[in-house]
Amino acid sequence: MNSQINSEEINQEGHLTIGGVDAIELAQEYGTPLVVYDVSKIRNQIRNFETIFEKEKVNYEVSYASKAFSAIAMYQLAKQEGAAIDVVSAGELYTALKAGFPMEKVNFHGNNKSLFELEMAVKNHVGRIMIDNFHEIELLSQVLKENKTNIDVVLRITPGISAHTHEYDQTGQVDSKFGFDLDSGQADEALKQVLNEPRMNPLGLHAHIGSQIFELNGFKMAAKKLVQVAALWREKYNFIAQVINVGGGFGIKYVEKDEPLKPEEFVKAIIATIKEETAKVNLPMPEIDIEPGRSIVGPAGYSLYTVGSSKVVSGLTPYVTVDGGMGDNIRPALYGAEYEAILANDPNKQADEVINLAGKYCESGDILIKNALLPSLHTGDIIAILDTGAYGYSMASNYNRNPRPAVVFAENGKAKLVIKRESLEDLVHLDQSL
Ligand SMILES: *Cc1c(COP(=O)(O)O)cnc(C)c1O
């Protein structure tokens, strides 16, 4: 049995269960490919983050980075758990509005927010704008004047720290498209400009060093840097940072060799660093904000697929193809991301074959798992790929004009459809005849 699954997740029929619901019944009822979330895993992770802050007695905000998985039901779940959210587009903001999510708990991110997006954010009174660049300061200033309103802002800086992670997942190094550079004086200049904007209320500063990070060191260095900048800003501009936001990026276990710390452990170390560093320079303890995405929804997500064709060539690893692939999970093709899969209709069956688990899309790179160790597979078997809850559905496409899958929330033995499967009609609904 796969080490990521425990015996309670297998029912009397010998099937995988997700949130207490039989995965095979889910596949039958909603079809495959299907994305299923174990909702209690999401709740527990949000609560684990909140608990650490409560224990350490610091003011905080846990802001779910909703680009990892954005849906009306997901925002409603975040609301139930008292989390704030990060949004990065008009589309995510619109979805949060539709969900009835409290706008004062929305942080608007992005390195090229459009005039339309800033207007939408301001008119709906989002809690905070995470300022990324000078162009944005100008645009926001104009929007605030036109709307005769004020807004809280946080300045995003690039702390000059490279996290040990995939190159595409790094965001904190000096050579990055995100945020204000420190050494060149950009960040200082940005603060000066914001302090001169009567309608912008700067709360503090932000850094996000990357994603799927396993080591504490990068976070500690970033936290330290942020406090140093805060100390400098007090000295130079008499500005006291009330908020230090250390971003997200806490790594999760996808495959056996991954050995991340528990997400809360990262937070513990960050809190300790900020306490220590602020004490050294005699700064008041700020509110500490985190923005976890992957660690909240990643491990809670399962992708169910039905096995179809296979191809065996003597001397080569066989291909077994499922009814989804890069259209519902582009991460393997995009970053070489690795996953583990189990045979959902018999997770206890001895895994004794190595195969390439292929997708159905017209790209040779559309292999969901290379050299997957699985039991011998047959047409009609249901495969569950584990830990697909982050950056899976949210990056889904209609490549090859395949409909995007349905998404189901499962909790306490009950399933709820939260995103319908796209229909063929949906696929052509924007098309216009010649
Ligand atoms: C993507 C992103 C996050 C979330 O990263 P995860 O690795 O999913 O935790 C947080 N903050 C910012 C600014 C981001 O861009």
Side-chain angles (χ1 to χ4, degrees):
M1 189 171 53
N2 185 289
S3 66
Q4 293 194 52
I5 297 293
N6 62 48
S7 56
E8 291 132 55
E9 291 170 89
I10 299 171
N11 64 12
Q12 284 177 340
E13 284 72 39
H15 297 165
L16 171 72
T17 62
I18 304 167
V21 186
D22 187 311
I24 306 311
E25 283 175 20
L26 288 170
Q28 280 162 357
E29 181 165 354
Y30 300 102
T32 57
L34 182 69
V35 179
V36 185
Y37 283 92
D38 181 337
V39 174
S40 58
K41 284 191 183 174
I42 299 177
R43 291 192 198 281
N44 287 339
Q45 190 53 58
I46 296 176
R47 288 174 196 178
N48 289 344
F49 282 128
E50 292 168 345
T51 304
I52 288 286
F53 286 109
E54 304 280 346
K55 267 197 198 143
E56 300 285 334
K57 298 194 170 53
V58 288
N59 293 331
Y60 67 95
E61 186 177 86
V62 175
S63 188
Y64 166 58
S66 72
K67 69 181 194 275
F69 172 61
S70 168
I72 287 177
M74 184 60 217
Y75 292 124
Q76 291 169 336
L77 183 57
K79 179 182 171 185
Q80 285 177 359
E81 294 304 325
I85 56 166
D86 280 12
V87 300
V88 297
S89 68
E92 286 181 356
L93 181 58
Y94 185 74
T95 312
L97 278 165
K98 286 280 170 181
F101 193 87
M103 285 296 118
E104 70 276 12
K105 292 179 105 170
V106 173
N107 300 307
F108 202 105
H109 264 283
N111 68 316
N112 189 22
K113 303 175 188 80
S114 69
L115 186 61
F116 173 77
E117 286 172 324
L118 287 171
E119 277 170 349
M120 186 173 170
V122 165
K123 283 188 204 305
N124 287 290
H125 305 286
V126 303
R128 297 171 186 176
I129 304 279
M130 315 302 281
I131 303 259
D132 181 273
N133 56 74
F134 294 110
H135 173 62
E136 182 179 342
I137 297 175
E138 242 173 74
L139 281 185
L140 182 60
S141 170
Q142 180 188 327
V143 172
L144 292 170
K145 263 180 220 142
E146 276 161 15
N147 288 275
K148 298 191 177 55
T149 186
N150 300 351
I151 204 153
D152 288 343
V153 301
V154 174
L155 294 172
R156 177 168 185 170
I157 61 157
T158 31
I161 287 153
S162 302
H164 288 272
T165 181
H166 193 287
E167 185 188 342
Y168 297 139
D169 285 341
Q170 290 180 357
T171 53
Q173 71 280 20
V174 174
D175 188 1
S176 162
K177 71 170 183 171
F178 298 105
F180 295 102
D181 179 61
L182 284 175
D183 294 340
S184 65
Q186 273 188 8
D188 286 4
E189 177 57 28
L191 179 70
K192 273 198 271 181
Q193 287 190 16
V194 167
L195 287 170
N196 278 328
E197 292 286 342
R199 295 193 177 278
M200 293 184 202
N201 176 35
L203 294 180
L205 60 173
H206 168 283
H208 171 71
I209 57 172
S211 199
Q212 186 58 1
I213 298 166
F214 283 6
E215 289 168 28
L216 280 181
N217 207 26
F219 286 108
K220 286 189 193 163
M221 280 159 59
K224 191 170 170 180
K225 191 81 187 183
L226 287 168
V227 176
Q228 286 169 351
V229 176
L232 216 65
W233 282 358
R234 176 184 56 185
E235 209 174 289
K236 282 188 175 167
Y237 309 106
N238 203 19
F239 170 75
I240 307 275
Q242 302 161 52
V243 166
I244 288 190
N245 186 321
V246 295
F250 316 124
I252 64 166
K253 185 183 181 82
Y254 283 105
V255 293
E256 199 54 44
K257 67 172 191 279
D258 294 340
E259 286 174 350
L261 294 167
K262 281 193 184 150
E264 313 81 87
E265 295 296 322
F266 289 103
V267 177
K268 232 184 185 168
I270 289 164
I271 296 171
T273 306
I274 294 178
K275 276 187 175 170
E276 211 178 287
E277 296 297 321
T278 49
K280 266 191 217 164
V281 293
N282 201 20
L283 269 178
M285 187 63 186
E287 172 186 306
I288 300 178
D289 296 352
I290 58 169
E291 306 175 314
R294 186 190 311 274
S295 52
I296 288 179
V297 289
Y302 300 71
S303 297
L304 302 181
Y305 301 100
T306 304
V307 173
S309 65
S310 23
K311 173 178 172 177
V312 182
V313 177
S314 152
L316 298 178
T317 307
Y319 289 90
V320 176
T321 304
V322 295
D323 54 355
M326 64 188 285
D328 59 81
N329 187 356
I330 191 137
R331 296 188 64 256
L334 186 63
Y335 314 126
E338 295 178 291
Y339 289 97
E340 287 178 355
I342 57 173
L343 179 60
N345 44 294
D346 192 359
N348 285 322
K349 194 171 170 190
Q350 180 68 30
D352 50 11
E353 289 190 4
V354 173
I355 55 127
N356 289 321
L357 193 69
K360 64 172 288 181
Y361 292 76
C362 300
E363 285 283 330
S364 292
D366 179 30
I367 307 291
L368 286 164
I369 307 180
K370 283 186 186 137
N371 300 316
L373 179 63
L374 281 162
S376 71
L377 297 175
H378 305 281
T379 302
D381 276 337
I382 304 293
I383 296 284
I385 298 191
L386 308 176
D387 309 297
T388 58
Y391 307 106
Y393 188 89
S394 68
M395 287 187 166
S397 76
N398 292 122
Y399 181 48
N400 293 160
R401 288 244 149 164
N402 283 307
R404 286 177 297 169
V407 182
V408 167
F409 273 10
E411 187 173 28
N412 299 326
K414 292 202 179 69
K416 170 96 180 72
L417 181 68
V418 296
I419 301 181
K420 290 197 272 185
R421 181 178 305 285
E422 267 175 331
S423 65
L424 295 177
E425 198 48 45
D426 288 335
L427 290 173
V428 293
H429 85 289
L430 298 174
D431 290 28
Q432 307 286 310
S433 288
L434 198 63

